[in-house]
Amino acid sequence: MWAYVASGKRLPVQWSAWLTHTRPDPPSIEELQADLARQQRVKLNAAILEAKDEAERANMKRLEAPSHHSETEAQSPSVSWNVPRDQRLEPPEPDQRPKAQTRDPWAEALKGSDEPRSWTPMARKR
């Protein structure tokens, strides 16, 4: 085992769990193969998501870049003079929604009683 670790390779998590007695049975070959297939799926899905994210960033940069057409509309105020003020398209205001309520664990802990409660530990199975 030490030669394996010293070579820079990592033991599968299933074997480490069994060797440290946190798992009752050693892993099977099928389980290890299924875990390798899962790792490959995760890497593939991560690459797909990264490609989508990169494409979205490129699209956002393209949309944010000022175009010649939008500059001419911004320079001619006569376009919006004929439209009533409440119907004009104006830039969106910053997000004015109330912030989501965050859970305060200290406030929840203070609500409870400070009285000690009984505790019965469970026997550990090996």
Side-chain angles (χ1 to χ4, degrees):
M1 180 177 108
W2 293 114
Y4 187 86
V5 172
S7 69
K9 297 180 183 177
R10 294 186 58 162
L11 283 173
V13 174
Q14 295 88 348
W15 277 110
S16 296
W18 182 69
L19 290 171
T20 58
H21 301 286
T22 56
R23 177 189 172 120
D25 299 317
S28 65
I29 297 295
E30 294 82 21
E31 182 182 0
L32 294 171
Q33 289 172 342
D35 189 51
L36 283 175
R38 181 196 61 82
Q39 289 175 11
Q40 290 172 348
R41 278 194 318 271
V42 167
K43 286 179 184 178
L44 177 67
N45 289 340
I48 290 171
L49 287 174
E50 185 64 33
K52 284 182 183 177
D53 194 34
E54 185 63 33
E56 185 176 329
R57 272 192 240 123
N59 192 21
M60 291 299 290
K61 281 185 179 181
R62 184 182 56 82
L63 291 175
E64 287 176 355
S67 65
H68 182 66
H69 182 67
S70 63
E71 289 176 4
T72 57
E73 287 179 358
Q75 292 174 355
S76 62
S78 63
V79 173
S80 62
W81 285 356
N82 297 335
V83 179
R85 183 169 182 81
D86 60 336
Q87 294 179 357
R88 289 185 193 165
L89 293 176
E90 299 195 12
E93 294 184 15
D95 193 12
Q96 297 296 327
R97 290 180 286 160
K99 299 281 185 197
Q101 295 293 330
T102 57
R103 186 174 131 312
D104 185 13
W106 290 107
E108 291 177 13
L110 293 176
K111 290 179 187 174
S113 171
D114 287 341
E115 296 297 319
R117 289 181 246 149
S118 64
W119 177 65
T120 48
M122 298 184 60
R124 194 167 166 194
K125 295 181 181 179
R126 285 202 172 199

